[in-house]
Amino acid sequence: MESLLELPFGFLKCPKMKLKVPNINKPSPMTMFSIIFFTYFLVSSGIIYDLIQNPPSIGYERDERGNSRPVVFQMYRINGQYIIEGLSAGFIFLLGALGYIILDLNAKKNNSYLFAIGLALIVATYNIAIVFIRMKIPGYSPF
């Protein structure tokens, strides 16, 4: 059976080539961290949604005088976002992640200043995220 499968390819010969494997240096841990952290920022910003739906960067709303004013948050649409809204929320999530990284660093160095900075970033991130949700959905209360 094997010779039957090799029959149509018997006239082909493997070329005798000496290929060199390129020497690629391993990136530093900080470079990898920066790439992954930036990717986290893009994903938490909703860049995939922005690429698929192609929303405007900001919206406009008419006031009582008929003038249009810029709006950053899409009101009453929890599944929709403007580009600036997503980037600002992604930046806030980035600060929260940085707070957790600082707390992890604090576990190794046991510095009270690092603990205070990390905890302040986490608490501020939570409160700003709640403010963002209340701006998006007026009357929302998590408690």
Side-chain angles (χ1 to χ4, degrees), residues 95-115:
L95 287 179
L98 191 65
Y100 280 108
I101 291 170
I102 290 174
L103 281 182
D104 183 56
L105 183 65
N106 178 44
K108 296 173 185 148
K109 296 194 175 197
N110 201 9
N111 188 345
S112 61
Y113 292 121
L114 286 178
F115 179 76

Side-chain angles (χ1 to χ4, degrees), residues 50-124:
D50 292 341
L51 291 174
I52 293 172
Q53 297 294 327
N54 200 11
S57 59
I58 59 173
Y60 293 96
E61 178 181 273
R62 297 247 180 227
D63 60 2
E64 60 273 356
R65 295 183 194 159
N67 299 328
S68 63
R69 62 182 185 99
V71 183
V72 178
F73 290 93
Q74 278 189 354
M75 303 290 283
Y76 304 107
R77 287 205 50 209
I78 197 71
N79 291 338
Q81 72 177 17
Y82 295 125
I83 293 174
I84 300 297
E85 174 185 356
L87 291 177
S88 60
F91 181 73
I92 296 302
F93 293 149
L94 197 76
L95 287 179
L98 191 65
Y100 280 108
I101 291 170
I102 290 174
L103 281 182
D104 183 56
L105 183 65
N106 178 44
K108 296 173 185 148
K109 296 194 175 197
N110 201 9
N111 188 345
S112 61
Y113 292 121
L114 286 178
F115 179 76
I117 290 170
L119 191 64
L121 282 174
I122 292 170
V123 169

Side-chain angles (χ1 to χ4, degrees), residues 74-78 132-140:
Q74 278 189 354
M75 303 290 283
Y76 304 107
R77 287 205 50 209
I78 197 71
F132 278 9
I133 291 175
R134 285 185 182 160
M135 289 171 68
K136 197 161 180 69
I137 306 170
Y140 174 78

